Amino acid sequence: MDTSAPSSGRDPSVISISSTEDDTTEFIEISSTSGASSSHITLPTPVPSPNVPYHLVTGHMISWAYSDGVNTTPSLHHRNPKCSLEEVEPESKAYQKYLEQIGTYIAKTIFGYTDTPYFMAGLPTGYSLYSCETQPQSTGRIRTDLYLYGPKNIKKFRSPNEFTMHAVWLMGGGPHNPCLCQCIHCGPHRSQIEINRRFGLPGQHDARDRHHHH
């Protein structure tokens, strides 16, 4: 697989990428001098664009373009005493599965690659993944959730789906294009279910569907 970017004479670092509600990928070229939008091109996915930073893909591994992580960790003052919280090791199956879900989505929607699976090359700088084990009285069974910490203004991402659209935003410029993030914490969406449905994420797509978790 050729991961080199086609010659376009433009710096891919000034390109922002975001998925839109009609399952297209939006590319907005940002001027490096004025910061204003100079062109607006919408292409259907998964058709790759010459402006996509293909140099970030090596084999089936994708490197991050940007990070807004500041090494935030769970606050001791806000920890649930009923939750056993531990940092997830990069070598663990849960950690790698997390990277696979994000990487495979980004490979398809940003780069147009469908020969899955793909993996992100670790978490963005300044991010950390924690597991939270609880035992709800309703079921009596131990439940494990994964919480991702990193950005200063976001307490945590409660699932891979919650982080996916934020990951797309990071790959498209991140901090340089804050208005483009479509995640539940930054965007205009009212629920994660709405985001799942709109952007083709796995899990629950309807509030009446109780068989999937977001």
Side-chain angles (χ1 to χ4, degrees), residues 98 101-102 129-130 143 145-149 156-166 183-185 192-193 196 201-203 213-214:
Y98 203 103
Q101 182 170 331
I102 303 300
L129 187 65
Y130 283 78
R143 168 177 171 168
D145 294 299
L146 296 178
Y147 296 150
L148 184 65
Y149 296 83
K156 63 187 175 187
F157 296 98
R158 299 176 299 170
S159 69
N161 275 15
E162 274 201 6
F163 178 58
T164 296
M165 299 316 300
H166 198 78
C183 82
I184 189 65
H185 300 282
Q192 185 60 44
I193 294 175
N196 293 348
L201 299 178
H213 298 288
H214 64 267

PDB file of all heavy atoms in Angstrom, residues 98 101-102 129-130 143 145-149 156-166 183-185 192-193 196 201-203 213-214:
ATOM      1  N   TYR A  98      -9.073  -0.850  21.707  1.00  0.00           N
ATOM      2  CA  TYR A  98      -9.453   0.562  21.663  1.00  0.00           C
ATOM      3  C   TYR A  98      -8.775   1.246  20.472  1.00  0.00           C
ATOM      4  O   TYR A  98      -9.409   1.952  19.688  1.00  0.00           O
ATOM      5  CB  TYR A  98      -9.030   1.233  22.971  1.00  0.00           C
ATOM      6  CG  TYR A  98      -9.793   2.486  23.321  1.00  0.00           C
ATOM      7  CD1 TYR A  98     -10.792   2.463  24.296  1.00  0.00           C
ATOM      8  CD2 TYR A  98      -9.510   3.698  22.706  1.00  0.00           C
ATOM      9  CE1 TYR A  98     -11.486   3.617  24.646  1.00  0.00           C
ATOM     10  CE2 TYR A  98     -10.198   4.848  23.041  1.00  0.00           C
ATOM     11  CZ  TYR A  98     -11.190   4.803  24.013  1.00  0.00           C
ATOM     12  OH  TYR A  98     -11.872   5.951  24.340  1.00  0.00           O
ATOM     13  N   GLN A 101     -10.375   0.073  17.115  1.00  0.00           N
ATOM     14  CA  GLN A 101     -11.669   0.658  16.748  1.00  0.00           C
ATOM     15  C   GLN A 101     -11.494   2.071  16.205  1.00  0.00           C
ATOM     16  O   GLN A 101     -12.097   2.433  15.186  1.00  0.00           O
ATOM     17  CB  GLN A 101     -12.616   0.676  17.948  1.00  0.00           C
ATOM     18  CG  GLN A 101     -13.990   1.245  17.593  1.00  0.00           C
ATOM     19  CD  GLN A 101     -15.011   1.063  18.696  1.00  0.00           C
ATOM     20  OE1 GLN A 101     -14.936   0.106  19.482  1.00  0.00           O
ATOM     21  NE2 GLN A 101     -15.979   1.964  18.785  1.00  0.00           N
ATOM     22  N   ILE A 102     -10.664   2.870  16.863  1.00  0.00           N
ATOM     23  CA  ILE A 102     -10.434   4.240  16.401  1.00  0.00           C
ATOM     24  C   ILE A 102      -9.682   4.230  15.069  1.00  0.00           C
ATOM     25  O   ILE A 102     -10.033   4.941  14.126  1.00  0.00           O
ATOM     26  CB  ILE A 102      -9.631   5.041  17.445  1.00  0.00           C
ATOM     27  CG1 ILE A 102     -10.355   5.046  18.802  1.00  0.00           C
ATOM     28  CG2 ILE A 102      -9.401   6.466  16.954  1.00  0.00           C
ATOM     29  CD1 ILE A 102     -11.721   5.652  18.795  1.00  0.00           C
ATOM     30  N   LEU A 129      -5.578   5.847  29.346  1.00  0.00           N
ATOM     31  CA  LEU A 129      -6.788   5.020  29.366  1.00  0.00           C
ATOM     32  C   LEU A 129      -6.897   4.301  30.707  1.00  0.00           C
ATOM     33  O   LEU A 129      -5.926   3.705  31.179  1.00  0.00           O
ATOM     34  CB  LEU A 129      -6.737   4.005  28.222  1.00  0.00           C
ATOM     35  CG  LEU A 129      -7.985   3.152  27.967  1.00  0.00           C
ATOM     36  CD1 LEU A 129      -9.155   4.027  27.523  1.00  0.00           C
ATOM     37  CD2 LEU A 129      -7.686   2.088  26.907  1.00  0.00           C
ATOM     38  N   TYR A 130      -8.082   4.367  31.314  1.00  0.00           N
ATOM     39  CA  TYR A 130      -8.313   3.726  32.604  1.00  0.00           C
ATOM     40  C   TYR A 130      -9.495   2.766  32.498  1.00  0.00           C
ATOM     41  O   TYR A 130     -10.439   3.000  31.738  1.00  0.00           O
ATOM     42  CB  TYR A 130      -8.619   4.770  33.685  1.00  0.00           C
ATOM     43  CG  TYR A 130      -7.402   5.508  34.187  1.00  0.00           C
ATOM     44  CD1 TYR A 130      -6.838   6.535  33.442  1.00  0.00           C
ATOM     45  CD2 TYR A 130      -6.815   5.176  35.405  1.00  0.00           C
ATOM     46  CE1 TYR A 130      -5.717   7.219  33.895  1.00  0.00           C
ATOM     47  CE2 TYR A 130      -5.696   5.851  35.873  1.00  0.00           C
ATOM     48  CZ  TYR A 130      -5.152   6.872  35.113  1.00  0.00           C
ATOM     49  OH  TYR A 130      -4.039   7.540  35.569  1.00  0.00           O
ATOM     50  N   ARG A 143     -18.887  -5.252  36.009  1.00  0.00           N
ATOM     51  CA  ARG A 143     -18.897  -4.555  34.724  1.00  0.00           C
ATOM     52  C   ARG A 143     -17.623  -3.728  34.605  1.00  0.00           C
ATOM     53  O   ARG A 143     -17.209  -3.064  35.559  1.00  0.00           O
ATOM     54  CB  ARG A 143     -20.122  -3.644  34.623  1.00  0.00           C
ATOM     55  CG  ARG A 143     -20.067  -2.670  33.455  1.00  0.00           C
ATOM     56  CD  ARG A 143     -21.327  -1.855  33.346  1.00  0.00           C
ATOM     57  NE  ARG A 143     -21.188  -0.780  32.370  1.00  0.00           N
ATOM     58  CZ  ARG A 143     -22.208  -0.066  31.905  1.00  0.00           C
ATOM     59  NH1 ARG A 143     -23.436  -0.313  32.330  1.00  0.00           N
ATOM     60  NH2 ARG A 143     -21.999   0.895  31.027  1.00  0.00           N
ATOM     61  N   ASP A 145     -15.751  -0.734  32.391  1.00  0.00           N
ATOM     62  CA  ASP A 145     -15.845   0.350  31.415  1.00  0.00           C
ATOM     63  C   ASP A 145     -14.468   0.958  31.226  1.00  0.00           C
ATOM     64  O   ASP A 145     -13.645   0.971  32.147  1.00  0.00           O
ATOM     65  CB  ASP A 145     -16.822   1.429  31.894  1.00  0.00           C
ATOM     66  CG  ASP A 145     -18.253   0.928  31.964  1.00  0.00           C
ATOM     67  OD1 ASP A 145     -18.790   0.538  30.913  1.00  0.00           O
ATOM     68  OD2 ASP A 145     -18.826   0.921  33.074  1.00  0.00           O
ATOM     69  N   LEU A 146     -14.214   1.472  30.016  1.00  0.00           N
ATOM     70  CA  LEU A 146     -12.946   2.131  29.721  1.00  0.00           C
ATOM     71  C   LEU A 146     -13.165   3.630  29.615  1.00  0.00           C
ATOM     72  O   LEU A 146     -14.027   4.091  28.862  1.00  0.00           O
ATOM     73  CB  LEU A 146     -12.354   1.591  28.413  1.00  0.00           C
ATOM     74  CG  LEU A 146     -11.958   0.111  28.416  1.00  0.00           C
ATOM     75  CD1 LEU A 146     -11.436  -0.294  27.042  1.00  0.00           C
ATOM     76  CD2 LEU A 146     -10.911  -0.175  29.487  1.00  0.00           C
ATOM     77  N   TYR A 147     -12.387   4.392  30.370  1.00  0.00           N
ATOM     78  CA  TYR A 147     -12.478   5.847  30.369  1.00  0.00           C
ATOM     79  C   TYR A 147     -11.165   6.433  29.862  1.00  0.00           C
ATOM     80  O   TYR A 147     -10.086   6.068  30.338  1.00  0.00           O
ATOM     81  CB  TYR A 147     -12.757   6.376  31.777  1.00  0.00           C
ATOM     82  CG  TYR A 147     -14.093   5.950  32.350  1.00  0.00           C
ATOM     83  CD1 TYR A 147     -14.254   5.782  33.728  1.00  0.00           C
ATOM     84  CD2 TYR A 147     -15.196   5.723  31.528  1.00  0.00           C
ATOM     85  CE1 TYR A 147     -15.479   5.408  34.267  1.00  0.00           C
ATOM     86  CE2 TYR A 147     -16.418   5.344  32.054  1.00  0.00           C
ATOM     87  CZ  TYR A 147     -16.558   5.187  33.427  1.00  0.00           C
ATOM     88  OH  TYR A 147     -17.770   4.814  33.942  1.00  0.00           O
ATOM     89  N   LEU A 148     -11.277   7.349  28.905  1.00  0.00           N
ATOM     90  CA  LEU A 148     -10.097   7.980  28.317  1.00  0.00           C
ATOM     91  C   LEU A 148      -9.978   9.415  28.821  1.00  0.00           C
ATOM     92  O   LEU A 148     -10.928  10.195  28.740  1.00  0.00           O
ATOM     93  CB  LEU A 148     -10.208   7.968  26.786  1.00  0.00           C
ATOM     94  CG  LEU A 148      -9.010   8.516  26.009  1.00  0.00           C
ATOM     95  CD1 LEU A 148      -7.778   7.640  26.224  1.00  0.00           C
ATOM     96  CD2 LEU A 148      -9.340   8.600  24.511  1.00  0.00           C
ATOM     97  N   TYR A 149      -8.803   9.751  29.348  1.00  0.00           N
ATOM     98  CA  TYR A 149      -8.537  11.088  29.880  1.00  0.00           C
ATOM     99  C   TYR A 149      -7.457  11.763  29.042  1.00  0.00           C
ATOM    100  O   TYR A 149      -6.575  11.098  28.514  1.00  0.00           O
ATOM    101  CB  TYR A 149      -8.069  10.998  31.333  1.00  0.00           C
ATOM    102  CG  TYR A 149      -9.104  10.445  32.285  1.00  0.00           C
ATOM    103  CD1 TYR A 149      -9.288   9.067  32.420  1.00  0.00           C
ATOM    104  CD2 TYR A 149      -9.903  11.291  33.044  1.00  0.00           C
ATOM    105  CE1 TYR A 149     -10.245   8.553  33.291  1.00  0.00           C
ATOM    106  CE2 TYR A 149     -10.858  10.784  33.924  1.00  0.00           C
ATOM    107  CZ  TYR A 149     -11.024   9.418  34.036  1.00  0.00           C
ATOM    108  OH  TYR A 149     -11.968   8.911  34.899  1.00  0.00           O
ATOM    109  N   LYS A 156     -13.756  13.327  30.670  1.00  0.00           N
ATOM    110  CA  LYS A 156     -13.335  12.012  30.193  1.00  0.00           C
ATOM    111  C   LYS A 156     -14.210  11.600  29.016  1.00  0.00           C
ATOM    112  O   LYS A 156     -15.329  12.095  28.848  1.00  0.00           O
ATOM    113  CB  LYS A 156     -13.448  10.955  31.301  1.00  0.00           C
ATOM    114  CG  LYS A 156     -14.872  10.726  31.788  1.00  0.00           C
ATOM    115  CD  LYS A 156     -14.895   9.811  32.998  1.00  0.00           C
ATOM    116  CE  LYS A 156     -16.317   9.683  33.554  1.00  0.00           C
ATOM    117  NZ  LYS A 156     -16.360   8.942  34.823  1.00  0.00           N
ATOM    118  N   PHE A 157     -13.683  10.689  28.194  1.00  0.00           N
ATOM    119  CA  PHE A 157     -14.461  10.033  27.153  1.00  0.00           C
ATOM    120  C   PHE A 157     -14.860   8.677  27.719  1.00  0.00           C
ATOM    121  O   PHE A 157     -14.008   7.879  28.110  1.00  0.00           O
ATOM    122  CB  PHE A 157     -13.636   9.857  25.876  1.00  0.00           C
ATOM    123  CG  PHE A 157     -13.228  11.153  25.227  1.00  0.00           C
ATOM    124  CD1 PHE A 157     -11.966  11.681  25.443  1.00  0.00           C
ATOM    125  CD2 PHE A 157     -14.106  11.844  24.402  1.00  0.00           C
ATOM    126  CE1 PHE A 157     -11.579  12.873  24.850  1.00  0.00           C
ATOM    127  CE2 PHE A 157     -13.732  13.039  23.802  1.00  0.00           C
ATOM    128  CZ  PHE A 157     -12.470  13.556  24.028  1.00  0.00           C
ATOM    129  N   ARG A 158     -16.146   8.396  27.731  1.00  0.00           N
ATOM    130  CA  ARG A 158     -16.641   7.204  28.416  1.00  0.00           C
ATOM    131  C   ARG A 158     -16.677   5.949  27.549  1.00  0.00           C
ATOM    132  O   ARG A 158     -17.037   4.874  28.036  1.00  0.00           O
ATOM    133  CB  ARG A 158     -18.036   7.481  28.981  1.00  0.00           C
ATOM    134  CG  ARG A 158     -18.063   8.607  30.007  1.00  0.00           C
ATOM    135  CD  ARG A 158     -19.477   8.894  30.452  1.00  0.00           C
ATOM    136  NE  ARG A 158     -20.296   9.324  29.310  1.00  0.00           N
ATOM    137  CZ  ARG A 158     -21.615   9.459  29.361  1.00  0.00           C
ATOM    138  NH1 ARG A 158     -22.262   9.167  30.484  1.00  0.00           N
ATOM    139  NH2 ARG A 158     -22.281   9.871  28.302  1.00  0.00           N
ATOM    140  N   SER A 159     -16.313   6.078  26.284  1.00  0.00           N
ATOM    141  CA  SER A 159     -16.305   4.921  25.389  1.00  0.00           C
ATOM    142  C   SER A 159     -15.507   5.269  24.142  1.00  0.00           C
ATOM    143  O   SER A 159     -15.272   6.453  23.856  1.00  0.00           O
ATOM    144  CB  SER A 159     -17.739   4.546  24.992  1.00  0.00           C
ATOM    145  OG  SER A 159     -18.295   5.549  24.153  1.00  0.00           O
ATOM    146  N   PRO A 160     -15.090   4.262  23.363  1.00  0.00           N
ATOM    147  CA  PRO A 160     -14.423   4.557  22.091  1.00  0.00           C
ATOM    148  C   PRO A 160     -15.295   5.407  21.171  1.00  0.00           C
ATOM    149  O   PRO A 160     -14.793   6.285  20.470  1.00  0.00           O
ATOM    150  CB  PRO A 160     -14.169   3.165  21.500  1.00  0.00           C
ATOM    151  CG  PRO A 160     -14.084   2.261  22.681  1.00  0.00           C
ATOM    152  CD  PRO A 160     -15.086   2.813  23.656  1.00  0.00           C
ATOM    153  N   ASN A 161     -16.604   5.168  21.178  1.00  0.00           N
ATOM    154  CA  ASN A 161     -17.494   5.958  20.332  1.00  0.00           C
ATOM    155  C   ASN A 161     -17.479   7.434  20.716  1.00  0.00           C
ATOM    156  O   ASN A 161     -17.518   8.311  19.852  1.00  0.00           O
ATOM    157  CB  ASN A 161     -18.928   5.424  20.414  1.00  0.00           C
ATOM    158  CG  ASN A 161     -19.172   4.287  19.440  1.00  0.00           C
ATOM    159  OD1 ASN A 161     -18.230   3.707  18.909  1.00  0.00           O
ATOM    160  ND2 ASN A 161     -20.422   3.957  19.215  1.00  0.00           N
ATOM    161  N   GLU A 162     -17.441   7.720  22.011  1.00  0.00           N
ATOM    162  CA  GLU A 162     -17.401   9.121  22.437  1.00  0.00           C
ATOM    163  C   GLU A 162     -16.136   9.811  21.941  1.00  0.00           C
ATOM    164  O   GLU A 162     -16.144  11.008  21.663  1.00  0.00           O
ATOM    165  CB  GLU A 162     -17.460   9.212  23.969  1.00  0.00           C
ATOM    166  CG  GLU A 162     -18.846   9.213  24.534  1.00  0.00           C
ATOM    167  CD  GLU A 162     -18.913   9.799  25.935  1.00  0.00           C
ATOM    168  OE1 GLU A 162     -17.898  10.320  26.445  1.00  0.00           O
ATOM    169  OE2 GLU A 162     -20.004   9.737  26.531  1.00  0.00           O
ATOM    170  N   PHE A 163     -15.053   9.048  21.824  1.00  0.00           N
ATOM    171  CA  PHE A 163     -13.777   9.640  21.418  1.00  0.00           C
ATOM    172  C   PHE A 163     -13.588   9.679  19.907  1.00  0.00           C
ATOM    173  O   PHE A 163     -12.795  10.483  19.401  1.00  0.00           O
ATOM    174  CB  PHE A 163     -12.621   8.860  22.054  1.00  0.00           C
ATOM    175  CG  PHE A 163     -11.259   9.361  21.667  1.00  0.00           C
ATOM    176  CD1 PHE A 163     -10.881  10.676  21.910  1.00  0.00           C
ATOM    177  CD2 PHE A 163     -10.348   8.514  21.050  1.00  0.00           C
ATOM    178  CE1 PHE A 163      -9.616  11.143  21.545  1.00  0.00           C
ATOM    179  CE2 PHE A 163      -9.084   8.967  20.687  1.00  0.00           C
ATOM    180  CZ  PHE A 163      -8.716  10.280  20.937  1.00  0.00           C
ATOM    181  N   THR A 164     -14.302   8.846  19.159  1.00  0.00           N
ATOM    182  CA  THR A 164     -14.027   8.691  17.729  1.00  0.00           C
ATOM    183  C   THR A 164     -14.067  10.003  16.959  1.00  0.00           C
ATOM    184  O   THR A 164     -13.137  10.320  16.205  1.00  0.00           O
ATOM    185  CB  THR A 164     -15.010   7.686  17.093  1.00  0.00           C
ATOM    186  OG1 THR A 164     -14.800   6.392  17.679  1.00  0.00           O
ATOM    187  CG2 THR A 164     -14.776   7.584  15.591  1.00  0.00           C
ATOM    188  N   MET A 165     -15.121  10.796  17.111  1.00  0.00           N
ATOM    189  CA  MET A 165     -15.214  12.032  16.337  1.00  0.00           C
ATOM    190  C   MET A 165     -14.199  13.070  16.822  1.00  0.00           C
ATOM    191  O   MET A 165     -13.752  13.916  16.047  1.00  0.00           O
ATOM    192  CB  MET A 165     -16.635  12.602  16.396  1.00  0.00           C
ATOM    193  CG  MET A 165     -17.698  11.678  15.811  1.00  0.00           C
ATOM    194  SD  MET A 165     -17.237  10.900  14.234  1.00  0.00           S
ATOM    195  CE  MET A 165     -16.986  12.325  13.184  1.00  0.00           C
ATOM    196  N   HIS A 166     -13.814  12.999  18.087  1.00  0.00           N
ATOM    197  CA  HIS A 166     -12.744  13.873  18.579  1.00  0.00           C
ATOM    198  C   HIS A 166     -11.425  13.462  17.936  1.00  0.00           C
ATOM    199  O   HIS A 166     -10.594  14.308  17.597  1.00  0.00           O
ATOM    200  CB  HIS A 166     -12.655  13.776  20.103  1.00  0.00           C
ATOM    201  CG  HIS A 166     -11.921  14.912  20.743  1.00  0.00           C
ATOM    202  ND1 HIS A 166     -12.487  16.153  20.949  1.00  0.00           N
ATOM    203  CD2 HIS A 166     -10.648  15.008  21.212  1.00  0.00           C
ATOM    204  CE1 HIS A 166     -11.604  16.961  21.527  1.00  0.00           C
ATOM    205  NE2 HIS A 166     -10.472  16.290  21.692  1.00  0.00           N
ATOM    206  N   CYS A 183     -17.658  15.620  18.354  1.00  0.00           N
ATOM    207  CA  CYS A 183     -17.867  14.678  19.455  1.00  0.00           C
ATOM    208  C   CYS A 183     -18.943  15.200  20.401  1.00  0.00           C
ATOM    209  O   CYS A 183     -19.334  16.368  20.342  1.00  0.00           O
ATOM    210  CB  CYS A 183     -16.557  14.408  20.206  1.00  0.00           C
ATOM    211  SG  CYS A 183     -16.099  15.655  21.445  1.00  0.00           S
ATOM    212  N   ILE A 184     -19.409  14.344  21.299  1.00  0.00           N
ATOM    213  CA  ILE A 184     -20.503  14.691  22.203  1.00  0.00           C
ATOM    214  C   ILE A 184     -20.114  15.825  23.145  1.00  0.00           C
ATOM    215  O   ILE A 184     -20.965  16.588  23.608  1.00  0.00           O
ATOM    216  CB  ILE A 184     -20.946  13.445  23.015  1.00  0.00           C
ATOM    217  CG1 ILE A 184     -22.218  13.721  23.810  1.00  0.00           C
ATOM    218  CG2 ILE A 184     -19.826  12.950  23.914  1.00  0.00           C
ATOM    219  CD1 ILE A 184     -23.431  14.001  22.970  1.00  0.00           C
ATOM    220  N   HIS A 185     -18.827  15.996  23.419  1.00  0.00           N
ATOM    221  CA  HIS A 185     -18.375  17.024  24.352  1.00  0.00           C
ATOM    222  C   HIS A 185     -18.165  18.383  23.680  1.00  0.00           C
ATOM    223  O   HIS A 185     -18.310  19.420  24.332  1.00  0.00           O
ATOM    224  CB  HIS A 185     -17.067  16.587  25.019  1.00  0.00           C
ATOM    225  CG  HIS A 185     -17.188  15.313  25.785  1.00  0.00           C
ATOM    226  ND1 HIS A 185     -17.757  15.249  27.037  1.00  0.00           N
ATOM    227  CD2 HIS A 185     -16.837  14.036  25.468  1.00  0.00           C
ATOM    228  CE1 HIS A 185     -17.740  13.996  27.468  1.00  0.00           C
ATOM    229  NE2 HIS A 185     -17.185  13.242  26.532  1.00  0.00           N
ATOM    230  N   GLN A 192     -25.120  10.689  22.225  1.00  0.00           N
ATOM    231  CA  GLN A 192     -24.172   9.831  21.529  1.00  0.00           C
ATOM    232  C   GLN A 192     -24.893   8.939  20.529  1.00  0.00           C
ATOM    233  O   GLN A 192     -24.342   8.584  19.486  1.00  0.00           O
ATOM    234  CB  GLN A 192     -23.391   8.981  22.532  1.00  0.00           C
ATOM    235  CG  GLN A 192     -22.279   8.144  21.908  1.00  0.00           C
ATOM    236  CD  GLN A 192     -21.229   8.985  21.208  1.00  0.00           C
ATOM    237  OE1 GLN A 192     -20.798  10.004  21.727  1.00  0.00           O
ATOM    238  NE2 GLN A 192     -20.814   8.564  20.016  1.00  0.00           N
ATOM    239  N   ILE A 193     -26.136   8.593  20.832  1.00  0.00           N
ATOM    240  CA  ILE A 193     -26.924   7.777  19.903  1.00  0.00           C
ATOM    241  C   ILE A 193     -27.079   8.506  18.571  1.00  0.00           C
ATOM    242  O   ILE A 193     -26.959   7.913  17.497  1.00  0.00           O
ATOM    243  CB  ILE A 193     -28.303   7.447  20.510  1.00  0.00           C
ATOM    244  CG1 ILE A 193     -28.135   6.544  21.732  1.00  0.00           C
ATOM    245  CG2 ILE A 193     -29.208   6.785  19.477  1.00  0.00           C
ATOM    246  CD1 ILE A 193     -29.425   6.264  22.472  1.00  0.00           C
ATOM    247  N   ASN A 196     -23.764   8.286  16.783  1.00  0.00           N
ATOM    248  CA  ASN A 196     -23.571   6.937  16.241  1.00  0.00           C
ATOM    249  C   ASN A 196     -24.298   6.779  14.912  1.00  0.00           C
ATOM    250  O   ASN A 196     -23.743   6.249  13.941  1.00  0.00           O
ATOM    251  CB  ASN A 196     -24.103   5.889  17.225  1.00  0.00           C
ATOM    252  CG  ASN A 196     -23.304   5.806  18.506  1.00  0.00           C
ATOM    253  OD1 ASN A 196     -22.213   6.371  18.610  1.00  0.00           O
ATOM    254  ND2 ASN A 196     -23.844   5.104  19.485  1.00  0.00           N
ATOM    255  N   LEU A 201     -21.188   5.013  13.431  1.00  0.00           N
ATOM    256  CA  LEU A 201     -20.410   4.357  14.479  1.00  0.00           C
ATOM    257  C   LEU A 201     -21.136   3.102  14.953  1.00  0.00           C
ATOM    258  O   LEU A 201     -22.361   3.006  14.852  1.00  0.00           O
ATOM    259  CB  LEU A 201     -20.201   5.312  15.660  1.00  0.00           C
ATOM    260  CG  LEU A 201     -19.435   6.599  15.350  1.00  0.00           C
ATOM    261  CD1 LEU A 201     -19.354   7.473  16.594  1.00  0.00           C
ATOM    262  CD2 LEU A 201     -18.046   6.294  14.834  1.00  0.00           C
ATOM    263  N   PRO A 202     -20.401   2.126  15.484  1.00  0.00           N
ATOM    264  CA  PRO A 202     -21.060   0.912  15.973  1.00  0.00           C
ATOM    265  C   PRO A 202     -21.867   1.203  17.229  1.00  0.00           C
ATOM    266  O   PRO A 202     -21.712   2.240  17.863  1.00  0.00           O
ATOM    267  CB  PRO A 202     -19.882  -0.025  16.275  1.00  0.00           C
ATOM    268  CG  PRO A 202     -18.747   0.900  16.575  1.00  0.00           C
ATOM    269  CD  PRO A 202     -18.940   2.082  15.657  1.00  0.00           C
ATOM    270  N   GLY A 203     -22.743   0.267  17.590  1.00  0.00           N
ATOM    271  CA  GLY A 203     -23.489   0.416  18.828  1.00  0.00           C
ATOM    272  C   GLY A 203     -24.905   0.891  18.626  1.00  0.00           C
ATOM    273  O   GLY A 203     -25.508   0.715  17.565  1.00  0.00           O
ATOM    274  N   HIS A 213     -24.610  -0.837  23.490  1.00  0.00           N
ATOM    275  CA  HIS A 213     -24.150   0.283  24.303  1.00  0.00           C
ATOM    276  C   HIS A 213     -23.389   1.243  23.418  1.00  0.00           C
ATOM    277  O   HIS A 213     -22.726   0.850  22.479  1.00  0.00           O
ATOM    278  CB  HIS A 213     -23.230  -0.208  25.432  1.00  0.00           C
ATOM    279  CG  HIS A 213     -23.916  -1.144  26.387  1.00  0.00           C
ATOM    280  ND1 HIS A 213     -24.857  -0.726  27.292  1.00  0.00           N
ATOM    281  CD2 HIS A 213     -23.807  -2.491  26.552  1.00  0.00           C
ATOM    282  CE1 HIS A 213     -25.285  -1.768  27.993  1.00  0.00           C
ATOM    283  NE2 HIS A 213     -24.661  -2.848  27.560  1.00  0.00           N
ATOM    284  N   HIS A 214     -23.467   2.548  23.716  1.00  0.00           N
ATOM    285  CA  HIS A 214     -22.716   3.529  22.942  1.00  0.00           C
ATOM    286  C   HIS A 214     -21.320   3.686  23.503  1.00  0.00           C
ATOM    287  O   HIS A 214     -20.510   4.362  22.947  1.00  0.00           O
ATOM    288  CB  HIS A 214     -23.442   4.883  22.917  1.00  0.00           C
ATOM    289  CG  HIS A 214     -23.562   5.521  24.274  1.00  0.00           C
ATOM    290  ND1 HIS A 214     -24.659   5.337  25.079  1.00  0.00           N
ATOM    291  CD2 HIS A 214     -22.709   6.305  24.961  1.00  0.00           C
ATOM    292  CE1 HIS A 214     -24.491   6.018  26.205  1.00  0.00           C
ATOM    293  NE2 HIS A 214     -23.308   6.607  26.160  1.00  0.00           N
TER     294      HIS A 214
END
